[in-house]
Amino acid sequence: MKKYSILLVLSLICLFSTAQNDNVNKVKAVIDKYNKVTGLDKLSKNPPKTFLQESKMTSFFSDQPNISWITIIGDSENERAYMVQESSDNSKIETLFNKDRGWILTNDGTTLELDENMLSSMSKLTDFLKSSTASMTDISNMKYVETITEGKNTYNVLQLISPENSKVNMYFNERTGLLDYSVSFLNEEQKKVLHTEQQKQTFNNYTQFGDVMLPDFYTENNGKIGLMFETKRISLDYPTDNVDFSENKFKLGLDAYSYYSKGLNTENDREAIELFDKAITIRPNYIDAHLARIKNYQNLNDYQSAINLCDRLLRIDDNNTSALFYRASSYLILGNYSKAKNDCKTILAYEPENKVISEFMDNISKIENENIAIKNEIKENQKAEKKKTVMNIILGCLSIANDFANYYVSTNTEGGSFNSGSSSNIKYTSSRQVCPTCRGTGKNETRERPPFYDYSTETNNHPACSICGDKSNHWHRDCSGCGGSGYVNR
């Protein structure tokens, strides 16, 4: 029995190895056919030393399509490249790749260190063009999934798995050998930006450039076109003698980045603001510097200035959710709850799954309701205090009148009696009497509070007052009728 078990295990191992080999062979067959049809096999065997690629990219993510022209000049021999992207809004982004220096540099001052994957991807022309040409040179991270039929077309489906474990299913037309479309399964960050689980990328209109055939493509998110990419020109062995690959090209952007970097490392908020001001003067659309400066004004409790700067940034980038959040938090602190909630609603329109903003918006409503309740309580207390003040004035006047009457009687009658001329005799004496206003306590009934008293913190846990019995934090003024003695006609 044990012998048969061992044989069974060995058989399963052999079947698994055979299946693995079949999978690799299937992937290799599909990719070899694609590279042969497009001419990329010749290109990968004999890559040119230099190249130029001109492309047109149209974005449909905003209300108005945004067109960009992208030019890449590559120096494959020295493993460096220069790219410039000019948009229809006249913005211009330049990027410099340099393997020897180990960085990617842009004209806005941003510097990215190259990791091993990025460095290796810069060693061949086909890797420079990978994002726009769908060239296939490395099959180690691919696997064959299935063969399917859609209408008149049969597709071999290969799955590409990236080091970050993101997956792309690629559909190769069995008849033509070309890649017709792919479906990307987005990671969490991509989902937040594109508001979809998957993105379809359709490759069409393959154009011949010398020995190479390259496709245009467009992306779809939830059935809507998001991006169109068209290759307009490819020039191999392009002369690069007049191309400046040095970082001096971006000196102005580096100065802006230098001020920004110093500002981030400055603990004094006012000094940091001055550095961010300089960075923004050099580069007016420096979004990160704008946001950092807004945060410094909030640290200084200058929330109105923070709001004004958020308004300025949103004129540059109208859907910047960080600026919207900073403005909402500033509005909240200044008590403008409706505007704070409106900014949160705008953020949620861009990011419906943002739980942090949803909770923040709920807290705004709670704070607003609590403040309304406190204000109403203060108003009621102020009304009650006003009534008591009026009553105290009346009682004080009556007390003064009573004192005067007693004084008059005691000084203008013989034997302490006064005949009013009526049938009844009212007897007044000059002996000491209990004050009718305070009833002998010597204190007014009105509860007095400290200046700017906060009724919302009232605890009512003090000993009971001997005058009124109340347990709140208060005191009583001396009675105006008796001067605090509790008696009159002393």
Side-chain angles (χ1 to χ4, degrees), residues 421-477:
S422 63
S423 58
S424 61
N425 289 325
I426 302 175
K427 185 177 178 71
Y428 296 92
T429 67
S430 59
S431 60
R432 189 171 65 170
Q433 297 178 359
V434 174
C435 177
T437 303
C438 64
R439 300 180 183 84
T441 63
K443 300 291 182 181
N444 282 338
E445 292 183 356
T446 304
R447 289 191 291 273
E448 302 290 341
R449 310 284 184 174
F452 308 105
Y453 186 73
D454 186 357
Y455 287 91
S456 64
T457 61
E458 185 62 75
T459 58
N460 289 309
N461 59 357
H462 298 278
C465 176
S466 61
I467 305 300
C468 64
D470 192 80
K471 294 185 178 182
S472 63
N473 181 18
H474 70 277
W475 53 279
H476 295 267
R477 294 182 185 273

Side-chain angles (χ1 to χ4, degrees), residues 53-309:
Q53 177 187 356
E54 292 181 344
S55 306
K56 177 184 177 182
M57 183 173 70
T58 307
S59 169
F60 296 90
F61 293 117
S62 58
D63 294 336
Q64 297 294 328
N66 184 31
I67 299 174
S68 300
W69 292 90
I70 301 172
T71 301
I72 302 176
I73 300 173
D75 181 357
S76 304
E77 189 173 34
N78 295 301
E79 296 181 313
R80 59 188 184 177
Y82 165 71
M83 181 178 78
V84 57
Q85 178 178 338
E86 298 180 81
S87 300
S88 53
D89 60 1
N90 296 322
S91 63
K92 183 177 180 180
I93 299 176
E94 298 174 273
T95 307
L96 191 65
F97 305 82
N98 193 316
K99 182 177 179 180
D100 288 341
R101 296 292 182 88
W103 43 242
I104 296 176
L105 181 68
T106 64
N107 63 323
D108 62 8
T110 303
T111 305
L112 299 176
E113 298 295 328
L114 297 177
D115 57 25
E116 289 302 319
N117 291 329
M118 296 170 75
L119 288 170
S120 64
S121 71
M122 296 178 67
S123 62
K124 298 177 183 178
L125 166 68
T126 51
D127 289 315
F128 274 121
L129 302 176
K130 184 176 288 185
S131 62
S132 59
T133 63
S135 59
M136 308 291 169
T137 56
D138 183 6
I139 65 171
S140 61
N141 54 352
M142 296 183 192
K143 70 175 183 178
Y144 170 75
V145 179
E146 60 180 340
T147 298
I148 63 171
T149 301
E150 292 181 356
K152 296 180 180 180
N153 296 320
T154 300
Y155 292 102
N156 292 306
V157 185
L158 304 187
Q159 188 173 82
L160 175 66
I161 304 174
S162 73
E164 296 81 19
N165 203 32
S166 61
K167 298 177 182 179
V168 180
N169 282 356
M170 300 176 293
Y171 294 76
F172 291 87
N173 193 308
E174 192 172 64
R175 178 178 58 82
T176 64
L178 297 175
L179 174 61
D180 281 3
Y181 68 94
S182 66
V183 176
S184 300
F185 303 92
L186 305 182
N187 59 37
E188 292 304 318
E189 290 301 317
Q190 292 168 327
K191 289 176 186 177
K192 290 179 183 178
V193 174
L194 299 173
H195 310 308
T196 182
E197 296 285 329
Q198 299 177 6
Q199 183 181 72
K200 184 178 180 181
Q201 192 167 349
T202 301
F203 299 86
N204 61 348
N205 191 34
Y206 281 78
T207 306
Q208 195 77 36
F209 296 98
D211 294 333
V212 184
M213 189 164 63
L214 301 176
D216 299 334
F217 68 83
Y218 61 89
T219 63
E220 293 177 73
N221 305 314
N222 296 324
K224 294 182 180 180
I225 294 178
L227 194 71
M228 291 182 63
F229 194 97
E230 306 165 77
T231 301
K232 296 297 183 181
R233 178 188 172 196
I234 288 286
S235 178
L236 304 180
D237 294 317
Y238 180 80
T240 60
D241 296 340
N242 296 323
V243 179
D244 183 5
F245 287 102
S246 71
E247 60 266 37
N248 293 331
K249 188 177 190 66
F250 304 114
K251 187 176 187 306
L252 195 62
L254 286 172
D255 287 343
Y257 179 76
S258 175
Y259 284 126
Y260 169 70
S261 179
K262 289 177 182 176
L264 291 180
N265 294 308
T266 301
E267 294 184 2
N268 185 290
D269 288 299
R270 297 197 181 279
E271 291 178 5
I273 288 171
E274 290 179 3
L275 291 166
F276 294 137
D277 285 341
K278 291 179 181 179
I280 293 168
T281 300
I282 295 172
R283 182 185 158 209
N285 293 353
Y286 203 158
I287 302 297
D288 290 340
H290 279 281
L291 291 171
R293 183 171 64 173
I294 291 167
K295 187 63 178 174
N296 284 119
Y297 273 104
Q298 286 189 330
N299 292 342
L300 293 170
N301 298 325
D302 189 351
Y303 298 103
Q304 188 56 56
S305 294
I307 290 170
N308 295 338
L309 292 174

Side-chain angles (χ1 to χ4, degrees), residues 309-457:
L309 292 174
C310 287
D311 293 340
R312 177 178 171 182
L313 177 52
L314 288 166
R315 286 194 290 271
I316 299 171
D317 183 6
D318 60 358
N319 61 353
N320 190 296
T321 53
S322 295
L324 287 167
F325 176 75
Y326 283 146
R327 190 169 70 175
S329 59
S330 297
Y331 276 139
L332 172 61
I333 292 172
L334 294 180
N336 197 329
Y337 305 111
S338 60
K339 288 188 176 181
K341 287 191 281 190
N342 285 338
D343 280 341
C344 289
K345 289 176 182 177
T346 304
I347 296 173
L348 291 173
Y350 294 122
E351 303 174 3
E353 304 300 321
N354 195 322
K355 294 181 179 179
V356 173
I357 298 300
S358 296
E359 291 176 4
F360 183 69
M361 191 170 174
D362 292 339
N363 286 331
I364 292 174
S365 298
K366 290 178 182 177
I367 293 170
E368 182 180 16
N369 293 333
E370 289 174 1
N371 275 280
I372 290 173
I374 291 170
K375 286 181 179 178
N376 289 337
E377 184 178 349
I378 290 172
K379 285 181 180 178
E380 291 300 320
N381 286 328
Q382 287 174 341
K383 287 180 182 179
E385 290 297 326
K386 190 173 182 180
K387 288 179 181 179
K388 289 179 180 179
T389 301
V390 172
M391 288 300 297
N392 284 334
I393 292 172
I394 295 172
L395 290 172
C397 291
L398 291 174
S399 177
I400 292 170
N402 185 65
D403 288 348
F404 177 76
N406 286 330
Y407 171 77
Y408 182 82
V409 169
S410 63
T411 58
N412 291 281
T413 60
E414 294 181 4
S417 64
F418 175 73
N419 192 340
S420 63
S422 63
S423 58
S424 61
N425 289 325
I426 302 175
K427 185 177 178 71
Y428 296 92
T429 67
S430 59
S431 60
R432 189 171 65 170
Q433 297 178 359
V434 174
C435 177
T437 303
C438 64
R439 300 180 183 84
T441 63
K443 300 291 182 181
N444 282 338
E445 292 183 356
T446 304
R447 289 191 291 273
E448 302 290 341
R449 310 284 184 174
F452 308 105
Y453 186 73
D454 186 357
Y455 287 91
S456 64
T457 61

